[in-house]
Amino acid sequence: MALTSDSEEEYYSSPEEGGDDDDRLSFRTASNESDNDAGAGDDADDDCLYGDSDGDDDGMYDEYEGDEEEGLEEVDEEGEVLDEMRFTATQYAVLTMDEVRARQEEHTARVADLIALPPGLAAAVLRHFKWSAQGVWERWFSDEHKVRDAVGLPPDGDAVSVAVNDAPLTCYICFDAHAPGEMRSAGCAHFYCRGCWSGYVRAAVGDGARCLSIRCPDMGCSAAVVRDLVDDVADADDAKRYGEFLVRSYVEESKRIRWCPAPGCDRAVEFDGEKCTVQLDAWCACGHGFCLACGEEAHRPVACDTVREWLEKNRSDSETAQWVLANTKHCPECRRPIEKNQGCMHMTCSPPCKHQFCWLCLGPWDKHDGGNYNCNTYNTARAEGKYTEEELRRAQAKASVDRYLHYYERWGAHERSRQKALEDTAALGKDGAQREAVAAAFGVVETELDFLEEAYRQVAECRRMLRWTYAFGYYLDDPAKRDLFEDLQSQADKSLERLHECAEKDRAKLVAEAAGEHGAVADKYLEFRPRLSSLTTVARNHFENMARAFRDGLAEVEVDPAVAARRAAAAPPPPPLDDDDDEDFFEELRM
C-alpha cells in the first residue's frame, strides 16, 4: 500500500529519515544517533495451444484412458497434498484495515502493560523496535535507561504522554499568556498553547510519515510527541492523517506484515511468526498472490533469490546490448554498431565516418567494386576452426540470447495462458456470464458446476508454477539436477495440458452439441465430470510433487533408467551435415 501519487506524501520506511531544525516552528524528529545507541537499527531488512483432436465425439475420452488409471492411483496422495496446503494457509492471516488497527491497538496494550507506560508512549517504544514485542522485551529489561533516551522518555520515574499546565504561563512560540489548563506539553517542562501545538502538528503531518518521530519544539528537549498529544491539540483532519500514518507504520515497518500489492487493495497479510525468511506464497482475499518473504508476485516453487535475479535480468538493458552484439556488425573503420536494413550488401557508415564496406566480409567496398570481389571464396581458416575474436564473440552472444529467449518466451506464454484461465474462471464462477448457459447446456443446476470452476483454478495455479520453473531452469547449471528438473517439468506440463484441454475443448464440444441432443449430451456430461475431476487431481499431485522436489533442492538427482530411456528415445538424432550445411553454418556466423 505504498503511496505512488505525486500529490501524496512520500513515505519513509525508517523513522529517522529527513528533517531540519532551523525553524523553531518546524517539527523536530528523533536523531539517528539516539536510535543507533539503543540498537534500533536491527535489520528489517500465449494462449494455450492444443493439438487438434481427430475422430468423432464418441472417442473424445479415449486418449485419456491411461491417465484415468494414473489419476486413480494418485488420488491416495490427495489427502497428503491437501493437508500440506491447509498448513500453508495457517501460516498467515489476511487482515482488513479495521483488523490492522485492532491488531495494532491490542499489540500496543499488551506492551503497555508489560513496561508500565501509557499506550501512546508504548506505541513509540514499539515502533522504535519495528513493532517487535520481542525486541522491546530484550532491550527494555536489559538497558531501560538507554531505550528511554532513544525514544524520548524521561530518564526515570513515571512517564506521561500529555501534561497540562496548572499555573498561568507564557507560550514561548507566540509569547501570549495563558491561564491554567490552556497549555500542553509532551510530558516535559515546555508548555505551549493549543494554537501553536496545532500549527506544529499540521506542519509535521504535511511532511508525511516523519510526523511519527517528532519531538518537543524546544531545541534542547527530546521528549516524544505521541498519539495522545496529537489527538488533544490537532484539528480533526490532522489527527486523522496522523492516525493513518501510524497504522501504515505498523505494517510497513514491521517484519511480520505486508500490504497486499494488488492495485486498489487495502488489506494486509500477517505472517504467523517473527519474520518470514523463506519463500511463502500468500493469497489475499482480493485474489492476488504474493510472496511474504520478498514481496514479489507468487512464485512457488522457485526461491526468492532466483526470482529477483530473473526479474532484474528482464528489467536490465543487458539483453539489449546482447542483441546488438548478436544482430549488428561494427564498422571496420570507426567500430560503430550497424544493423543491416536493406537488401544490398554495400554498407555506408553514417557521418562523419562514411566508410564504405561489404556486409558479408567487412572488406573495403572499393575492392569489390574494382573487380577483386572475393566474398564468395571459401575461408579455409574458418573451416579449420580459426575465427577472429569478433566472430567468436558474436557467435557466443547469439547463443546466449537464443538461450535466454527460449526460457523467457515460455515464461511469458504460461503467464498469458494463466490470465486466460483466470478469465474463464471468472466467467464460470457464481456470478459469471457463462455459468447459466453452461448449466443449461448440460441440463444441471448451476451449483453442480463447482467442479468446472475448481478445474480452471487449478489450471491457473499450475500455469503460474510452471511459469516460474523456466526462471529456475535458466540458472540451473548442474547436469544431473537438470535431468531430474526437466523430467519433473515435462510430466507436470503433460498433466496440465491434458487438464486444460479437457476443461476448455471438451467442454466447448459438449456445449456446442447441446442443441437438439439433450440426451446424448447428458450422457457425455456424466463421463465428462468425473474425467475432469480426476485430471484436476492428477495435475495437482504432479505439481505438488514437483514443488516438494524443488523445496528439497532436487536432491534425487538419480533419474530412473526408464525415464532416461524415454528421454533418449524422444530426442531425434542430429542430422548429418553436408558441405552446404557447413557453409550455411559459417554464413550465419558472418551474419
Side-chain angles (χ1 to χ4, degrees), residues 71-227:
L72 294 176
E73 292 174 359
E74 297 196 23
V75 166
D76 294 337
E77 300 180 15
E78 182 70 3
E80 180 182 351
V81 169
L82 293 178
D83 287 343
E84 184 171 344
M85 294 169 66
R86 293 189 190 101
F87 173 74
T88 300
T90 62
Q91 293 182 280
Y92 63 87
V94 179
L95 307 175
T96 63
M97 183 66 78
D98 291 338
E99 289 171 334
V100 171
R101 289 191 181 94
R103 194 67 60 93
Q104 182 184 37
E105 292 172 359
E106 178 185 358
H107 196 180
T108 300
R110 289 202 303 267
V111 172
D113 291 340
L114 177 68
I115 60 179
L117 286 178
L121 294 178
V125 175
L126 262 173
R127 181 172 175 271
H128 182 74
F129 291 103
K130 309 298 181 186
W131 298 96
S132 170
Q134 181 69 24
V136 175
W137 173 272
E138 294 174 353
R139 302 297 180 85
W140 182 270
F141 293 103
S142 62
D143 197 339
E144 178 181 343
H145 178 77
K146 197 172 185 179
V147 174
R148 283 176 172 268
D149 181 64
V151 176
L153 306 180
D156 49 34
D158 295 334
V160 295
S161 55
V162 184
V164 181
N165 65 317
D166 55 5
L169 291 174
T170 298
C171 174
Y172 282 95
I173 294 179
C174 66
F175 296 100
D176 289 340
H178 295 273
E182 294 182 355
M183 302 178 70
R184 300 291 185 271
S185 79
C188 58
H190 309 104
F191 290 86
Y192 304 95
C193 68
R194 287 180 176 274
C196 292
W197 268 119
S198 178
Y200 183 71
V201 172
R202 183 178 298 110
V205 171
D207 201 58
R210 289 182 293 178
C211 65
L212 302 179
S213 302
I214 58 176
R215 301 298 177 95
C216 171
D218 188 278
M219 299 299 294
C221 181
S222 62
V225 176
V226 297
R227 177 72 178 272

Side-chain angles (χ1 to χ4, degrees), residues 460-516:
E461 172 64 8
C462 291
R463 291 288 179 196
R464 184 192 59 76
M465 294 177 67
L466 192 60
R467 174 196 189 206
W468 284 108
T469 63
Y470 285 97
F472 177 87
Y474 181 79
Y475 294 104
L476 183 61
D477 297 326
D478 190 329
K481 288 188 176 183
R482 176 169 291 280
D483 286 341
L484 176 59
F485 159 73
E486 291 181 349
D487 185 68
L488 290 169
Q489 188 185 54
S490 174
Q491 294 302 312
D493 192 7
K494 179 181 176 181
S495 65
L496 170 58
E497 294 300 337
R498 286 173 174 165
L499 169 62
H500 205 165
E501 182 174 5
C502 183
E504 189 171 72
K505 283 197 169 184
D506 294 357
R507 171 179 63 86
K509 288 181 180 180
L510 290 179
V511 173
E513 293 174 2

